[in-house]
Amino acid sequence: MLRELLREIASGKVLTLRELAARFGLEEGTVRAMLEELERTGYLSSRSPECSLQCEGCPLKGSCGVAGVDRIWFLTAKGQKAIEEEKHG
């Protein structure tokens, strides 16, 4: 299941924790724990969205992919390598 989650992050789609949980049929807390495990083992990194505006006053509110998101997850070099190795066999 961790591999599937890693592939989902690698797809580049902006998905909320709720959307990821729904895709995998899991609780949000379970998906968060999986993301944290992938980060702990070096496949992902995360950071808080850097936005100086409050969402309600933001002109991008309707199209922002990170509105209300507390963490954004990214593949690390190790994560990218794992995805590439999987693609090539």
Side-chain angles (χ1 to χ4, degrees):
M1 183 70 70
L2 290 175
R3 282 265 183 218
E4 290 87 358
L5 183 55
L6 194 61
R7 279 194 302 270
E8 197 66 43
I9 299 297
S11 75
K13 299 173 195 158
V14 177
L15 298 168
T16 65
L17 189 59
R18 175 175 283 156
E19 291 167 328
L20 285 169
R23 260 180 212 229
F24 291 105
L26 300 169
E27 297 290 325
E28 289 180 37
T30 302
V31 174
R32 180 178 293 280
M34 292 167 64
L35 290 166
E36 290 170 352
E37 175 66 13
L38 287 167
E39 183 175 32
R40 188 186 67 72
T41 56
Y43 291 95
L44 295 177
S45 64
S46 71
R47 64 180 170 97
S48 295
E50 295 175 15
C51 183
S52 61
L53 298 173
Q54 297 297 319
C55 292
E56 290 304 315
C58 182
L60 300 175
K61 178 183 173 190
S63 63
C64 180
V66 297
V69 174
D70 65 336
R71 305 291 308 154
I72 299 173
W73 302 89
F74 302 93
L75 282 180
T76 62
K78 182 179 178 179
Q80 186 63 48
K81 182 178 178 183
I83 293 296
E84 291 299 318
E85 287 173 354
E86 188 175 83
K87 286 181 185 178
H88 300 335

